[in-house]
């Protein structure tokens, strides 16, 4: 089973509390999501492998560490996942960005993929799939299905969200037990409209100022 971690760093917890407040407007919400995402990038990348490298400093030659593993791609699930991209790339600036768009069929309520645009070497990369809210898990499961269909291995996929519902964590773990899940908070439950309680409302609407 992949790792499941609630990132309880005090800065992450504090900033998440700020944006749960319904009075916070688009600008502050968007900026704070980026700040949280950067802090999450730091935690989510903690086990990236290192190798020795020789460096000539102005004083001497020394053996130090550099990243040695797979190159990174960040894969936001459209639309709300876009809000986490700038924060992640602020720490991992060389990362490529792939996009997966899902829409929910009005009748079956099941997500369908409508747009997939990925780096050509996606199967060789370490992937950070991002979506602020892990609610039912439907979109995350389908996005990871889409990546696996294109040759990506679950061991190279980490899913990061701001707020998770227990229902979504369970569904994602059952569908993709090989994927690590990171969240800033594990909330109480989903309500009858599919919103996370207490949550922070509709993350896409709050990020982009739509209704
Ligand atoms: N998507 C959101 O944006 N918010 C929720 O609470 C659930 C799903």
């Amino acid at each position: 089973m992949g790792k499941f971690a609630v990132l309880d760093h005090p800065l992450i917890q504090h900033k998440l509390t700020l944006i749960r407040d319904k009075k916070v407007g688009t600008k502050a919400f968007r900026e704070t999501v980026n700040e949280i995402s950067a802090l999450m990038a730091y935690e989510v990348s903690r086990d990236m492998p290192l190798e020795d490298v020789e460096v000539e400093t102005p004083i001497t030659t020394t053996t130090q560490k550099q990243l040695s593993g797979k190159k990174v791609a960040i894969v936001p699930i459209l639309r709300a996942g876009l809000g986490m991209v700038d924060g992640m790339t602020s720490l991992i600036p060389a990362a490529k960005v792939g996009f997966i768009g899902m829409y929910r069929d009005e009748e079956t309520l099941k997500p369908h993929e409508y747009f997939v645009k990925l780096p050509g070497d996606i199967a060789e990369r370490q992937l950070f799939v991002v979506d602020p809210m892990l609610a039912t898990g439907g979109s995350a499961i389908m996005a990871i299905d889409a990546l696996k269909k294109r040759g990506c291995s679950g061991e190279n996929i980490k899913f990061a969200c701001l707020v998770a519902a227990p229902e979504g964590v369970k569904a994602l773990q059952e569908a993709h037990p090989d994927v690590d899940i990171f969240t800033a908070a594990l909330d109480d439950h989903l309500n009858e409209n599919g919103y996370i309680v207490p949550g922070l409302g509709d993350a896409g609407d709050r990020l982009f100022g739509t209704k």
Side-chain angles (χ1 to χ4, degrees), residues 22-154:
K22 66 180 183 186
K23 294 193 291 300
V24 168
T26 305
K27 176 176 184 285
F29 189 91
R30 191 183 295 147
E31 286 170 359
T32 311
V33 168
N34 270 321
E35 290 169 8
I36 298 171
S37 304
L39 293 163
M40 290 186 78
Y42 180 82
E43 296 277 1
V44 168
S45 58
R46 187 174 279 285
D47 61 359
M48 283 168 77
L50 295 168
E51 65 186 2
D52 287 345
V53 61
E54 210 166 86
V55 192
E56 248 182 79
T57 77
I59 312 299
T60 187
T61 301
T62 174
T63 302
Q64 300 293 335
K65 302 290 181 193
Q66 70 177 11
L67 290 170
S68 66
K70 295 184 163 49
K71 297 208 164 70
V72 171
I74 296 161
V75 182
I77 302 176
L78 304 181
R79 155 182 77 131
L82 291 175
M84 297 178 71
V85 173
D86 287 354
M88 289 257 165
T89 54
S90 69
L91 279 210
I92 314 172
K96 298 209 169 171
V97 181
F99 301 88
I100 298 186
M102 301 279 166
Y103 73 90
R104 193 141 70 135
D105 185 298
E106 294 296 325
E107 272 171 26
T108 64
L109 299 182
K110 291 232 159 71
H112 289 270
E113 107 188 15
Y114 69 86
F115 182 72
V116 178
K117 193 81 180 165
L118 300 167
D121 58 354
I122 193 77
E124 275 82 62
R125 288 182 175 261
Q126 167 68 57
L127 306 183
F128 297 141
V129 178
V130 295
D131 194 354
M133 310 301 277
L134 178 60
T136 61
S139 304
I141 291 168
M142 289 230 34
I144 294 167
D145 284 341
L147 292 166
K148 287 186 172 174
K149 244 193 300 182
R150 290 163 178 84
C152 303
S153 155

Side-chain angles (χ1 to χ4, degrees), residues 133 135 194-196 201-204:
M133 310 301 277
Y195 282 95
I196 299 177
D202 186 303

